[in-house]
Amino acid sequence: MTIATQDKVLATASLPLAEQWLKEPGRAFINGKFVDHHNTAVIDTINPANGKRLGGFFASGKEDVDNAVAAARRAFRDAAWKKMARRERAFLLRRIADVIRANAAELATLEALDNGKLYKEAFLDDLPESADVFDYYAGWTDKFYAENCPVDEGFLNYTRHEPIGVCGLIVPWNFPLLLAMWKIAPALAMGNTVIVKPSPFTSMSLIRAVELIAEADILPAGVLNLVLGGADSGKLLCEHSGVDKISFTGSTQTGKQIVQLAGVSNLKLLGLELGGKSANIVFEDVPDLQFAIDRSFQAMFSHKGEKCSEPTRLFVQQKLYEQFIEALKERADKIVCGAQFDEQAQQGAQCNQPHFDKIMHYIAMGKSAGFRLVSGGERDMNGSNGQGLFVRPTIFADVDNRHALAQEEIFGPVLAVTPFETEEQVVAMANDTIYGLAAGFWTNDVSRAHRVAAELDAGMVFVNKYGCYDFASPFGGSKQSGWGKEMAVHSLHAYTKLKSVWVKL
């Protein structure tokens, strides 16, 4: 059976299960139990591919958040978790990985239905890493060494990496399950307890994942908690004095609000993975032009452009400029937009109505500015009777790098293309942004490769293949793209506090 055939079979079998599960409203999970909500309205979640109601959930109020924090605090102090052997903790993380793998098709179905992305993207891209990240951090539980410090004679000085405590994890809607697991796995590996809150637009896959983990009876009560809702629930979590750390992935604007909330409560630790407006630079000595074209298009438009590190600004050296644009146009014009389980579809629906409206606003701005519209620039009506939130892959050429189209995060399938003449000119343009998440470039000159990589002001730089990611490599940016790093050993630092111990001999 081919991967494509297996994918189709699993999707067909999982859809009825997911639809049946969605009939009951989702609930918060606190202290090992799902919460009973009384006199609380259900918040609807909408299928972005057709505008129909998908399901719903109960939003968490102040009492729920207070109870979740109290449960997480008790579990953090309880010997069942605090004194658990590292190998045992690693074993539990691997069990969580097994649960996610065993239910990958159902979770991918819920992810696709809720987010609008294609099922094959959820199943093949998101779910494997959602499980694998637990295996990766399970291996770190007994390998995160501290230091013996070379201090003056007469003293022994050493350091300890200790868990922070109660961690609030706030997850965005573009990769709701995967990015939740990116945070949960290292936090638990280091012995913290967590309260995770998904986006109100995409709560379903995480609710179901927590349910499956609970059914498997893997973790002590209170170690993993789930609260639901929008900005109000997030605010309660961020300003709560019983929360020791907030890890947030989302917009820069919301990140700034979280900084204020944390500051006025208890100066809790913050990890912020925020927005981006990443540059992709094609020099005329690109080693493989065809690969550069294919990869640049894929990196930009996969997952309907809803990725923080996507290369939304494309700079092409003048000699290759028109050729590159024409090749991108050819690919964009052929893209088929469609619903999650449409076998012909290559691009899904944008996640939610407000975001769709935002994307269309920026497209209108590009048209009004007079930039050359190469492809797209309109809503795609394919198979949705006008109700699906589909946007054609849109390419604007000859874009002024100072215009909002090239400076503000759109987070959708809208690419701004700009020509350049010299290396110095394009590095200056690439760095001329408030963001610093990622950047990439293509060159056959090894000296230029190292020189430009050093000059680009971004947390991640990709040379001759845009978009390379691995658990062993830090993920995160600089400037207004956030504070701190995720993945690799850096997540372990992010979920521990360092203590220095002096002993007089």
Side-chain angles (χ1 to χ4, degrees):
M1 183 182 294
T2 66
I3 292 177
T5 303
Q6 182 185 32
D7 176 21
K8 180 180 177 181
V9 170
L10 289 171
T12 302
S14 296
L15 187 55
L17 291 175
E19 290 174 338
Q20 180 64 32
W21 181 83
L22 286 164
K23 291 180 179 180
E24 293 294 326
R27 297 175 294 158
F29 182 75
I30 299 172
N31 199 34
K33 298 179 181 179
F34 281 94
V35 175
D36 289 327
H37 294 268
H38 304 285
N39 302 318
T40 304
V42 174
I43 297 177
D44 289 340
T45 182
I46 305 300
N47 184 339
N50 58 25
K52 296 180 180 180
R53 183 183 185 275
L54 184 66
F57 61 88
F58 294 104
S60 301
K62 185 178 186 304
E63 182 180 356
D64 295 320
V65 173
D66 287 344
N67 289 340
V69 173
R73 179 65 58 194
R74 288 194 301 270
F76 177 68
R77 292 172 174 164
D78 192 273
W81 182 248
K82 188 174 183 178
K83 300 297 184 181
M84 182 179 288
R86 289 178 175 82
R87 288 187 179 182
E88 176 66 15
R89 200 184 310 149
F91 174 72
L92 299 187
L93 293 178
R94 292 191 179 98
R95 284 188 62 197
I96 293 175
D98 291 340
V99 167
I100 294 171
R101 287 193 190 98
N103 297 277
E106 181 186 358
L107 292 171
T109 297
L110 291 169
E111 191 86 328
L113 289 172
D114 222 5
N115 171 273
K117 67 176 65 183
L118 302 179
Y119 171 81
K120 57 190 173 186
E121 290 177 321
F123 183 72
L124 297 176
D125 295 346
D126 301 3
L127 263 297
E129 286 197 10
S130 297
D132 292 349
V133 70
F134 283 94
D135 285 336
Y136 178 80
Y137 281 108
W140 269 108
T141 57
D142 60 356
K143 300 177 183 65
F144 190 36
Y145 291 93
E147 304 162 299
N148 184 352
C149 306
V151 298
D152 289 342
E153 290 293 328
F155 293 91
L156 170 65
N157 178 236
Y158 62 91
T159 60
R160 288 172 51 88
H161 293 293
E162 299 180 349
I164 293 171
V166 177
C167 298
L169 314 177
I170 302 178
V171 185
W173 46 254
N174 60 331
F175 292 90
L177 188 64
L178 175 61
L179 294 184
M181 300 314 176
W182 272 25
K183 298 177 187 299
I184 293 171
L188 296 185
M190 292 296 99
N192 299 282
T193 56
V194 303
I195 306 163
V196 60
K197 191 199 87 66
S199 164
F201 293 113
T202 53
S203 299
M204 297 306 166
S205 61
L206 188 54
I207 295 172
R208 180 59 176 146
V210 169
E211 192 173 88
L212 291 166
I213 293 168
E215 289 172 357
D217 194 22
I218 296 173
L219 299 169
V223 171
L224 172 62
N225 304 277
L226 170 75
V227 296
L228 304 170
D232 290 343
S233 302
K235 182 175 183 292
L236 289 169
L237 196 59
C238 291
E239 66 186 7
H240 203 294
S241 60
V243 175
D244 302 303
K245 177 190 173 71
I246 290 288
S247 177
F248 168 76
T249 299
S251 72
T252 295
Q253 179 182 3
T254 303
K256 291 178 179 179
Q257 295 171 358
I258 288 174
V259 171
Q260 297 298 320
L261 293 171
V264 298
S265 57
N266 60 342
L267 288 178
K268 56 177 60 68
L269 296 172
L270 294 179
L272 303 173
E273 201 283 283
L274 307 177
K277 196 68 181 178
S278 301
N280 181 23
I281 303 166
V282 182
F283 289 101
E284 61 184 28
D285 65 343
V286 52
D288 186 337
L289 179 60
Q290 192 63 47
F291 177 66
I293 292 168
D294 291 340
R295 182 61 183 175
S296 295
F297 186 87
Q298 180 188 34
M300 173 60 218
F301 292 108
S302 65
H303 290 263
K304 15 65 177 234
E306 293 174 346
K307 309 185 297 295
C308 57
S309 60
E310 65 179 343
T312 54
R313 294 185 298 152
L314 174 63
F315 299 97
V316 184
Q317 202 156 19
Q318 192 69 61
K319 181 179 177 181
L320 297 175
Y321 187 67
E322 293 299 336
Q323 180 183 356
F324 211 95
I325 289 174
E326 186 59 34
L328 293 178
K329 170 180 170 54
E330 181 182 354
R331 286 159 177 75
D333 289 348
K334 293 179 181 178
I335 289 294
V336 176
C337 293
Q340 296 92 332
F341 299 94
D342 183 345
E343 294 181 44
Q344 305 304 314
Q346 300 164 293
Q347 179 179 306
Q350 308 305 141
C351 181
N352 56 76
Q353 185 70 54
H355 185 58
F356 173 85
D357 294 340
K358 173 187 172 183
I359 295 170
M360 297 308 295
H361 171 69
Y362 276 102
I363 290 174
M365 288 176 62
K367 292 177 179 178
S368 297
F371 301 135
R372 181 169 33 132
L373 181 58
V374 174
S375 183
E378 60 189 5
R379 183 176 196 160
D380 190 297
M381 307 297 282
N382 178 44
S384 65
N385 296 319
Q387 299 303 310
L389 305 179
F390 299 100
V391 178
R392 292 296 308 164
T394 299
I395 302 171
F396 284 101
D398 312 332
V399 176
D400 180 350
N401 191 53
R402 294 305 304 150
H403 189 272
L405 200 71
Q407 288 294 315
E408 298 175 10
E409 186 177 43
I410 302 172
F411 214 64
V414 182
L415 175 64
V417 191
T418 303
F420 73 92
E421 294 286 352
T422 68
E423 177 184 313
E424 294 73 19
Q425 176 195 22
V426 75
V427 168
M429 288 195 294
N431 288 338
D432 185 16
T433 171
I434 64 170
Y435 299 107
L437 183 55
F441 64 95
W442 308 76
T443 182
N444 207 33
D445 183 333
V446 66
S447 295
R448 171 182 280 162
H450 293 289
R451 184 173 62 246
V452 173
E455 292 172 352
L456 289 172
D457 193 359
M460 300 175 287
V461 176
F462 310 111
V463 184
N464 291 336
K465 184 182 178 183
Y466 193 98
C468 304
Y469 308 103
D470 194 288
F471 295 143
S473 178
F475 184 99
S478 58
K479 297 193 282 189
Q480 293 191 39
S481 287
W483 293 349
K485 301 289 185 182
E486 294 191 294
M487 294 296 98
V489 68
H490 308 279
S491 274
L492 306 185
H493 287 290
Y495 288 103
T496 54
K497 54 189 178 185
L498 188 65
K499 177 183 288 184
S500 174
V501 179
W502 288 80
V503 179
K504 188 179 183 305
L505 302 177

